[in-house]
Amino acid sequence: MRLLRASRWASQALLHPPRRPPTRLCSSCASPPPKPASPPPPAAAADHRTLGIQQELFTTSIYSPGSPIFLPNGTLIFNRLVNFLRKHYIHYGFSEVITPTIYKKSLWAKSGHLQNYADDMFTVTSTSPARADKQEGGDEAEEYGLKPMNCPGHCLIFASQKRSYRDLPIRYADFSPLHRNEISGALSGLTRVRRFHQDDGHIFCRPVQIEEEIRKTLDFIRVTYEVLRLGPYRLALSTRPEENYMGSLEDWEQAENALKRALDASGQACTVNEGDGAFYGPKIDVILRDSDGKEHQTATIQLDFQLPKRFELEYMAPAPELEQKGETTTDAEKLAALGPVRPVMIHRAVLGSVERLMALLIEHYNGKWPFWLNPRQGIILTVNDSAPTVEWAYHTRDVLLSQKSGDFGPGSTPVHLAIDVDESARSLPLKVREAKTKGYGMIIVVGPKNVAKGSVTVDATGIPQVGDAPQEKGVEMTPEELRRFMGNTARKITMDLTNPNDPPPAYFTAARAHGIPLRQSAPIKRGPYPLELPILTHLKPLRVILASASPRRRALLSQLGLTFEVLVSTQPEDLDKAAHTPEEYVAATARRKCLDVYQSALAAQEAASGDNVPRDPALVIAADTVIATREGKILEKPRSEAEHIRTLKHLRDTRSHRVLTAVCVLAPRADAAHPGYEIAAHTEETKVFFAGAEDGLPDDVIEAYVRTREGADKAGGYALQGVGGMVLVDRVEGSVDNVIGLPVRKCLQLCERVVFRQGEEEEGEEEE
């Protein structure tokens, strides 16, 4: 808390610096001191078109204007951005699809794009009448159009099967290339193109799910832009155009109100652009400011009631009239009626155009790429061109590009690092200068002394903000140690817990960080070694399901070495808090999640056929976390910034609260006895003490923490494992991992109980 007070005093000193006495001339001086030199002129603004040529990222051709040609370096960056999103798609529940590049224009007429977007579309016709498709009942060939967007194709996928309300939300993602006939004079580098790739996603959801889906998408955008270190950005809500729009005024009012409610719940500030919506619905745009201060529209979220109508999309649900309005009921008579309901379609793009975002990144980083995106991650330089030195250089490269030291055949797993070798007979200083000019992250030198020692000499000072990188030059490592270090560095792009799959650092790295000299000794066997527990060994080849999308729970279980898949429950968390104690509420919610996911997994097995039948679920793990205040009130995730601030102030003023996490695990019974599964549960309690206002936790510190958004998706609104644990929490009594989201030790005990001791009654066992 002294640090908080000291920082406040320091900020006041900066705002109100002490007066300085006027400058006086000493008696021996005939003139005042010389004026300081004028500042140098500002450097020219970075231009991605120039940098793209210098860094060999992309080129263009007169034979395809507006269609950038990505060179190997640019393709590496493009693929890493796409793969980064693909990894996050698992967490946010998106399934990737591949759709055609051209469709008949009758599809675009059905979707409404032909009437509103014809000037921006390319027409595709066959020059051979014999090969043209014929319309039914006619002789004229039908024209095709290159797709400018993916939404009609995704509507076709949704319409290809019968859907139930239990299936929704359904989320499709698509990286297919898109084509738009931009005016030739407007084409520019990567920012204004005719062929581009969009991280296109479409969510088909129930009306009652709109706000939650938009909240998750806004969170996806926030996480992505924090990782890319882009910003600041602002949100803009665009409403119905004055003319050339589809649908009724009632539809538009319903859609705009849904977006406004979602924005209010997110707590993020937003401006309104009247009349700037798409022709089929209102939208939220992310407006990003580049290095020159110019604003660009990148990410977008668009709400669409029209395409589901035009494509006659529907799903079956009970009480269909109330379902269509986004209302729920417990009336058994109304729920008995099953009927068709029109889904709501949400268009979303996190990066927007990948090409446009790459242009912003090229200018933003200006050659200083973060290691994971750098197309030139490392280069191996030889001191001379003797055969042993060159051979050791290429051996080092092979080790760096393989996860199995000494095994470079078809069975090895490559690490996707970008490593070059310069074995030319030029002087080493010249090769080092050239490597630094080209922006290589690591410069690896190999000479006769390295060959004798079996090592390489590493300079990692070209990696910006790498954390535990050896920042001095001339660090010696073995090729295996360097491979492990480079692999860890390339993966350090997540914003939450450390990646549990990262190998531990080499012993020399930790010792060097603490200034401990290392003696030359026999090589030490290095891990990572698995946690060899009977339950983990038993579950390793089996299908384990985590019924939670929480990244904290995923990280905690992954650190144990447990392999699992994530299947999120669709059960609404709608238990009456007033009718349950906090312990009853959290236990019942976890049990509902566990049973719902288990039944969904069994239903998916029954519906599958052929080679696509999934394996039997061997274990389901579900959990739920809530905060119980001293008054017995149940707190979950804050729904707005104002509520977030109120919650943290209340926790501060009451000083202590309880964190309750209920864990429920389920495994099929080996003897198939009723009800067919073994289930066990436990509720863990941890007491958390907040600092008080008099201890250095005033309102402005809480408000500053809320603006970080770190606790926006967490029960109680704070993260013990993050900044919240440093500035809000005074002390903790009980399990720390319980506050993070999962009491791991108790979870393992429950797993052993339902797997190894089925049918046993244990003394003192808790009721599920």
Side-chain angles (χ1 to χ4, degrees):
M1 298 309 165
R2 292 177 182 172
L3 292 175
L4 292 174
R5 295 193 187 101
S7 65
R8 187 176 303 157
W9 293 335
S11 63
Q12 291 173 352
L14 290 172
L15 291 172
H16 306 287
R19 289 179 173 243
R20 294 184 178 178
T23 304
R24 297 179 180 272
L25 299 181
C26 64
S27 58
S28 61
C29 294
S31 60
K35 295 181 179 180
S38 58
D47 188 330
H48 79 279
R49 293 168 296 185
T50 303
L51 293 172
I53 295 173
Q54 293 174 355
Q55 299 175 27
E56 300 177 355
L57 302 178
F58 69 93
T59 186
T60 57
S61 169
I62 59 172
Y63 296 106
S64 187
S67 299
I69 301 171
F70 282 108
L71 304 177
N73 286 344
T75 303
L76 273 174
I77 297 174
F78 181 97
N79 287 336
R80 284 175 181 153
L81 287 171
V82 170
N83 289 335
F84 168 77
L85 287 180
R86 283 187 169 127
K87 291 176 182 177
H88 280 70
Y89 281 167
I90 298 172
H91 170 60
Y92 289 98
F94 281 88
S95 300
E96 191 172 348
V97 297
I98 299 174
T99 51
T101 302
I102 61 173
Y103 292 96
K104 290 184 176 181
K105 283 195 172 180
S106 56
L107 175 74
W108 306 111
K110 184 180 182 71
S111 68
H113 289 93
L114 200 62
Q115 300 91 306
N116 295 275
Y117 218 79
D119 291 343
D120 295 301
M121 291 180 61
F122 286 99
T123 297
V124 180
T125 57
S126 173
T127 57
S128 172
R131 300 192 179 191
D133 291 335
K134 305 295 183 181
Q135 292 184 358
E136 293 183 10
D139 296 329
E140 295 182 2
E142 184 177 357
E143 287 185 337
Y144 283 75
L146 284 175
K147 67 175 178 183
M149 62 273 298
N150 289 302
C151 33
H154 292 182
C155 288
L156 296 179
I157 298 175
F158 185 93
S160 65
Q161 298 179 26
K162 292 182 178 180
R163 309 288 182 178
S164 164
Y165 73 101
R166 297 182 183 275
D167 300 327
L168 273 58
I170 294 175
R171 308 176 186 95
Y172 296 130
D174 202 329
F175 287 104
S176 304
L178 305 176
H179 293 80
R180 296 182 185 174
N181 192 11
E182 299 282 355
I183 299 172
S184 60
L187 301 177
S188 177
L190 298 178
T191 56
R192 200 73 168 180
V193 295
R194 287 176 172 166
R195 187 222 59 193
F196 63 97
H197 300 77
Q198 195 171 45
D199 63 310
D200 216 353
H202 294 96
I203 304 168
F204 298 90
C205 66
R206 302 164 60 190
V208 75
Q209 296 170 332
I210 291 174
E211 294 178 31
E212 176 66 11
E213 291 304 310
I214 293 175
R215 184 194 65 79
K216 289 180 180 178
T217 304
L218 288 172
D219 181 69
F220 193 176
I221 292 169
R222 176 188 61 80
V223 169
T224 301
Y225 283 38
E226 285 178 358
V227 170
L228 295 174
R229 289 181 285 169
L230 286 175
Y233 67 81
R234 62 182 177 87
L235 301 179
L237 172 62
S238 299
T239 60
R240 175 179 56 83
E242 290 295 327
E243 53 187 19
N244 296 329
Y245 61 87
M246 294 194 307
S248 65
L249 294 177
E250 182 182 0
D251 287 342
W252 277 85
E253 183 178 2
Q254 183 182 358
E256 289 174 6
N257 289 336
L259 285 183
K260 289 174 183 176
R261 287 194 301 270
L263 284 168
D264 290 341
S266 74
Q268 293 182 259
C270 182
T271 59
V272 178
N273 293 338
E274 296 288 352
D276 202 33
F279 64 86
Y280 49 78
K283 60 178 181 173
I284 300 171
D285 287 331
V286 170
I287 311 298
L288 187 72
R289 187 179 302 162
D290 67 13
S291 54
D292 296 335
K294 185 179 179 182
E295 291 189 328
H296 301 265
Q297 186 263 311
T298 53
T300 185
I301 306 171
Q302 301 173 4
L303 199 54
D304 188 353
F305 287 78
Q306 307 308 320
L307 281 185
K309 286 184 180 179
R310 286 179 166 261
F311 282 89
E312 301 176 347
L313 305 182
E314 60 183 28
Y315 64 94
M316 302 301 291
E321 293 184 1
L322 294 176
E323 173 77 12
Q324 192 70 73
K325 297 176 182 178
E327 300 176 3
T328 58
T329 181
T330 57
D331 188 326
E333 184 177 348
K334 292 181 179 179
L335 291 173
L338 196 69
V341 182
R342 192 81 67 205
V344 179
M345 187 176 186
I346 300 174
H347 309 246
R348 76 99 190 99
V350 176
L351 301 181
S353 160
V354 181
E355 282 80 356
R356 179 184 296 174
L357 193 89
M358 280 187 62
L360 297 176
L361 290 175
I362 291 168
E363 296 177 1
H364 178 67
Y365 293 125
N366 198 13
K368 298 293 184 181
W369 291 95
F371 188 75
W372 71 281
L373 272 179
N374 195 343
R376 291 180 166 126
Q377 291 174 318
I379 186 169
I380 302 171
L381 308 178
T382 57
V383 172
N384 57 46
D385 59 350
S386 65
T389 300
V390 173
E391 182 180 346
W392 185 247
Y394 280 99
H395 170 78
T396 299
R397 185 197 65 175
D398 291 341
V399 170
L400 296 180
L401 297 182
S402 173
Q403 289 186 353
K404 293 184 179 180
S405 177
D407 178 8
F408 313 116
S412 62
T413 305
V415 176
H416 298 290
L417 296 172
I419 307 295
D420 295 323
V421 177
D422 184 351
E423 57 170 306
S424 63
R426 299 177 297 162
S427 69
L428 182 62
L430 177 61
K431 291 194 281 188
V432 169
R433 284 197 301 273
E434 184 181 88
K436 290 185 175 181
T437 301
K438 289 184 175 181
Y440 281 96
M442 288 191 186
I443 298 175
I444 305 153
V445 175
V446 172
K449 293 181 179 179
N450 298 110
V451 175
K453 293 181 180 180
S455 68
V456 295
T457 304
V458 181
D459 176 3
T461 56
I463 304 177
Q465 299 182 5
V466 76
D468 61 349
Q471 290 299 305
E472 69 272 22
K473 301 176 182 178
V475 177
E476 285 199 21
M477 307 183 186
T478 66
E480 289 79 8
E481 290 169 340
L482 179 58
R483 173 187 56 79
R484 186 177 298 112
F485 171 69
M486 293 184 78
N488 284 345
T489 305
R491 284 190 288 265
K492 285 182 180 176
I493 59 173
T494 56
M495 302 298 293
D496 212 303
L497 297 175
T498 304
N499 187 342
N501 296 320
D502 287 350
Y507 288 104
F508 85 94
T509 305
R512 186 180 296 276
H514 292 280
I516 302 173
L518 290 180
R519 298 187 198 83
Q520 293 294 330
S521 59
I524 304 172
K525 291 184 178 181
R526 294 180 174 84
Y529 301 114
L531 183 62
E532 295 180 351
L533 298 179
I535 185 64
L536 296 177
T537 304
H538 174 80
L539 293 173
K540 190 172 183 179
L542 304 178
R543 184 187 181 195
V544 179
I545 300 174
L546 173 62
S548 172
S550 166
R552 276 78 59 186
R553 294 185 184 122
R554 291 166 54 193
L556 288 169
L557 289 177
S558 295
Q559 284 178 319
L560 295 173
L562 186 64
T563 302
F564 56 90
E565 64 184 81
V566 174
L567 184 59
V568 181
S569 169
T570 57
Q571 278 280 348
E573 297 182 23
D574 55 0
L575 292 177
D576 185 0
K577 295 184 177 68
H580 296 79
T581 66
E583 290 82 358
E584 292 170 345
Y585 176 86
V586 74
T589 302
R591 180 184 175 88
R592 291 174 70 184
K593 290 180 181 178
C594 191
L595 289 172
D596 178 58
V597 167
Y598 181 61
Q599 290 163 0
S600 298
L602 295 180
Q605 276 189 307
E606 293 176 2
S609 60
D611 297 330
N612 298 320
V613 178
R615 294 183 297 164
D616 291 337
L619 186 74
V620 177
I621 302 173
D624 190 60
T625 301
V626 299
I627 300 292
T629 66
R630 294 178 67 174
E631 300 85 5
K633 184 179 179 182
I634 300 172
L635 300 180
E636 295 188 282
K637 300 170 185 176
R639 293 168 295 181
S640 67
E641 182 172 327
E643 181 182 331
H644 198 170
I645 293 172
R646 286 196 304 271
T647 297
L648 293 180
K649 286 182 179 179
H650 178 75
L651 296 180
R652 175 200 63 188
D653 295 340
T654 54
R655 296 305 297 267
S656 68
H657 58 274
R658 295 179 300 144
V659 179
L660 301 173
T661 299
V663 184
C664 186
V665 297
L666 179 152
R669 285 186 65 99
D671 57 6
H674 181 78
Y677 54 79
E678 191 86 4
I679 191 167
H682 169 76
T683 300
E684 185 81 7
E685 175 183 316
T686 302
K687 201 167 185 179
V688 179
F689 294 83
F690 263 37
E694 69 280 4
D695 296 327
L697 186 53
D699 290 354
D700 59 344
V701 174
I702 288 178
E703 291 164 3
Y705 175 72
V706 168
R707 287 194 294 272
T708 69
R709 294 293 182 268
E710 179 187 72
D713 63 338
K714 298 169 181 65
Y718 68 93
L720 182 67
Q721 73 276 21
V723 177
M726 294 185 280
V727 301
L728 303 177
V729 177
D730 184 45
R731 70 183 191 277
V732 175
E733 291 181 0
S735 169
V736 173
D737 52 353
N738 176 51
V739 185
I740 295 174
L742 187 71
V744 175
R745 181 172 54 84
K746 193 61 185 180
C747 180
L748 285 176
Q749 292 174 354
L750 293 176
C751 293
E752 291 177 340
R753 163 74 179 80
V754 300
V755 173
F756 294 150
R757 301 196 302 276
Q758 293 186 355
E760 293 183 12
E761 292 293 336
E762 294 189 5
E763 184 178 352
E765 183 180 2
E766 296 186 37
E767 290 292 326
E768 292 83 37

